[in-house]
Amino acid sequence: MVKFNRFVLSNGLRVIVHEDHTTPMAVVNILYDVGARDENPEQTGFAHLFEHLMFGGSVNIPVYDEPLQRVGGENNAFTSNDITNYYITLPAANLETAFWLESDRMLSLAFSEKSLEVQRNVVMEEFKQRYLNQPYGDVWLRLRPLVYKNHPYRWATIGKNLEHIEHAKIEDVKAFFQKHYNPQNAIMVVGGDVTVEQVQQLSEKWFGSIPTGEKYNRNLPQEPEQHEERRETVTAKVPLNDVYIAFQVPGRSDKEYYAIDLISDILSRGHSSRLYRSLVKEQQLFSEIHAYLTGSFDTGMLVVEGKPLETVSIEEAEAAVWKELEKIAAEPVPTGELTKVKNKTESTMVFAEMALLDKAMNLAYFELLGDADDFNHEVDKYLAVTAEQIQQQAKAIFQKDNSSTLIYLAEKSEAVPA
């Protein structure tokens, strides 16, 4: 159980405080309610570009990292299709430094052509290295538009293509910042060796005067239910053939989410899971195989991905995967197997309650979903899932007309004449 207090500043900034006096450290985590799904289809990759720009210095602090390093702090950030999250960990005695840095860049981020050019080049290089020049690197650039036809999830967090980042203009960047980076669109969690009174005082001092910003209504095009099988095959410079089968599933806030998450664990969590045991160990059809859930706020994906052995045809590999999926839809999961995956989930979540940064991130995330206290009840929701619910969801999801299959075929190297 993670105890916390919350309050809201007059400008709309939501603040959550978790006191933990067993550590000399503190964490300041700021979650902005903006991700790649909020981008203009013709200007994708901006949310991720902004994550980089936020470290490019402000009007008052040219080099963001320097003051933090002087007080023994560390920082990082990440962007997803749904959120952008920034965090600082530092000795609690130096907590005010974190407030100063975060409030300053929320209010006074430096929009210079030089900073934009530097970070644009960094992101473009990341795009090339991670997505274009790496085996299977473009999987999300291909799989997402196969699964999504209307929703902005159809492009990856990095963006649709390099040109959108390459042609990002300073006025576009400023407009994106003004729309999304303001107090009413942010949740700040402060945890560690702090007090509620101290955090209230520092919040008012450093964030209280920042303008609220203009409220906008998110009106995203929703993804219709899929009713036809979709396929794409690509021949590429990859070491092994690879099979991706993606299924549309309900979003993160849907009550069915917990059963679906457990389905992915039953299929693929650990060496005793069904896919590994059957397809890697017993039948020896795959060198590796995985199943995972994206956990997206809106319509999500459950993806099964595996690399068949070179002696196994794509057709044989796919048929073997479908056989396992049909089995979980046809037969109730045995009590022992369901209990085992629930226990693993419970241990993972209990562990997440131990690390200060994990607690801060989770409190911010669940507050955005609706209520930070829901984090304290997540385990109960998993434990309440029945074998009947597992089977019911498996039947609904694992349908050919709800599948999008992406096949990578390894390019055959031409034999060199003797």
Side-chain angles (χ1 to χ4, degrees):
M1 182 71 70
V2 180
K3 295 181 180 179
F4 62 89
N5 293 88
R6 63 154 75 83
F7 57 89
V8 182
L9 300 186
S10 59
N11 57 14
L13 178 66
R14 288 169 277 177
V15 184
I16 292 174
V17 185
H18 166 62
E19 295 188 26
D20 180 356
H21 302 294
T22 65
T23 172
M25 302 299 289
V27 60
V28 175
N29 187 92
I30 299 189
L31 182 154
Y32 287 93
D33 185 11
V34 55
R37 66 176 180 161
D38 296 299
E39 296 165 345
N40 181 328
E42 303 308 315
Q43 293 177 323
T44 63
F46 269 47
H48 177 247
L49 174 62
F50 240 93
E51 178 200 321
H52 286 261
L53 284 169
M54 285 287 275
F55 292 96
S58 70
V59 173
N60 304 307
I61 307 166
V63 182
Y64 178 86
D65 283 336
E66 277 187 8
L68 193 57
Q69 288 170 352
R70 284 202 296 269
V71 297
E74 295 179 349
N75 69 88
N76 214 327
F78 63 86
T79 310
S80 74
N81 288 73
D82 294 309
I83 63 171
T84 309
N85 194 82
Y86 301 84
Y87 58 87
I88 290 174
T89 57
L90 76 175
N94 299 320
L95 179 64
E96 190 162 7
T97 299
F99 275 79
W100 168 52
L101 288 167
E102 288 295 356
S103 64
D104 185 71
R105 65 178 176 179
M106 184 186 282
L107 177 66
S108 311
L109 192 67
F111 290 104
S112 67
E113 290 287 357
K114 181 182 177 183
S115 175
L116 177 57
E117 184 64 23
V118 168
Q119 298 305 328
R120 184 165 48 201
N121 288 336
V122 169
V123 173
M124 286 171 63
E125 190 59 30
E126 180 183 345
F127 199 123
K128 292 173 187 173
Q129 291 298 323
R130 290 182 57 189
Y131 294 83
L132 301 182
N133 300 334
Q134 187 171 301
Y136 319 107
D138 62 349
V139 59
W140 296 112
L141 304 182
R142 294 180 179 277
L143 191 57
R144 282 189 172 276
L146 202 59
V147 175
Y148 298 102
K149 300 304 178 184
N150 287 15
H151 196 283
Y153 287 159
R154 65 185 183 272
W155 58 82
T157 307
I158 196 74
K160 279 186 190 176
N161 53 55
L162 271 173
E163 288 72 25
H164 287 183
I165 299 300
E166 189 178 5
H167 299 145
K169 294 182 173 61
I170 196 78
E171 55 268 28
D172 299 326
V173 166
K174 284 183 179 179
F176 190 87
F177 179 81
Q178 286 164 2
K179 182 177 181 179
H180 299 289
Y181 279 76
N182 53 60
Q184 67 177 356
N185 210 41
I187 298 167
M188 179 168 68
V189 179
V190 183
D193 191 17
V194 302
T195 65
V196 175
E197 294 73 25
Q198 176 190 19
V199 173
Q200 281 182 315
Q201 180 190 357
L202 291 172
S203 298
E204 289 289 355
K205 176 181 178 180
W206 291 103
F207 288 91
S209 61
I210 300 177
T212 302
E214 290 185 22
K215 186 68 178 173
Y216 72 93
N217 292 316
R218 180 181 277 121
N219 187 22
L220 302 179
Q222 292 306 297
E223 189 64 26
E225 287 185 10
Q226 186 174 335
H227 293 295
E228 82 282 343
E229 184 180 2
R230 300 167 186 165
R231 300 184 67 87
E232 181 182 340
T233 301
V234 56
T235 302
K237 291 180 179 177
V238 294
L240 295 167
N241 294 342
D242 207 352
V243 178
Y244 289 82
I245 309 175
F247 301 90
Q248 281 191 12
V249 296
R252 181 61 182 81
S253 296
D254 198 286
K255 65 181 185 300
E256 274 83 35
Y257 172 84
Y258 301 95
I260 298 167
D261 197 17
L262 288 177
I263 287 172
S264 70
D265 285 352
I266 290 165
L267 289 172
S268 176
R269 186 165 185 173
H271 286 184
S272 62
S273 62
R274 292 191 176 194
L275 294 179
Y276 184 89
R277 194 175 66 244
S278 176
L279 306 185
V280 176
K281 209 169 178 181
E282 294 170 4
Q283 299 182 60
Q284 298 183 5
L285 298 173
F286 285 79
S287 60
E288 59 179 88
I289 191 159
H290 312 279
Y292 43 87
L293 196 58
T294 57
S296 306
F297 282 9
D298 298 322
T299 300
M301 283 188 282
L302 191 157
V303 182
V304 178
E305 180 261 323
K307 294 178 175 62
L309 296 178
E310 290 186 37
T311 54
V312 178
S313 70
I314 291 294
E315 292 75 18
E316 187 182 359
E318 276 193 74
V321 170
W322 274 101
K323 188 175 179 181
E324 292 299 323
L325 300 182
E326 287 160 0
K327 189 185 295 182
I328 198 171
E331 304 166 4
V333 178
T335 303
E337 186 179 13
L338 183 53
T339 300
K340 188 175 182 179
V341 295
K342 285 182 178 180
N343 289 343
K344 285 183 178 179
T345 299
E346 184 175 16
S347 65
T348 299
M349 298 201 68
V350 168
F351 186 74
E353 289 185 16
M354 295 170 66
L356 185 60
L357 179 57
D358 286 346
K359 282 188 281 190
M361 285 184 179
N362 277 305
L363 288 170
Y365 178 79
F366 280 94
E367 182 71 9
L368 182 61
L369 283 177
D371 185 352
D373 191 49
D374 286 344
F375 176 47
N376 289 320
H377 305 287
E378 278 291 277
V379 170
D380 296 335
K381 291 176 183 177
Y382 282 103
L383 296 180
V385 173
T386 65
E388 184 184 16
Q389 289 171 321
I390 296 276
Q391 188 178 2
Q392 184 181 10
Q393 288 307 308
K395 281 181 180 176
I397 295 164
F398 298 137
Q399 303 283 339
K400 283 283 174 74
D401 62 3
N402 185 42
S403 68
S404 298
T405 304
L406 173 63
I407 306 291
Y408 280 92
L409 296 178
E411 213 172 69
K412 302 294 182 186
S413 56
E414 294 182 13
V416 180

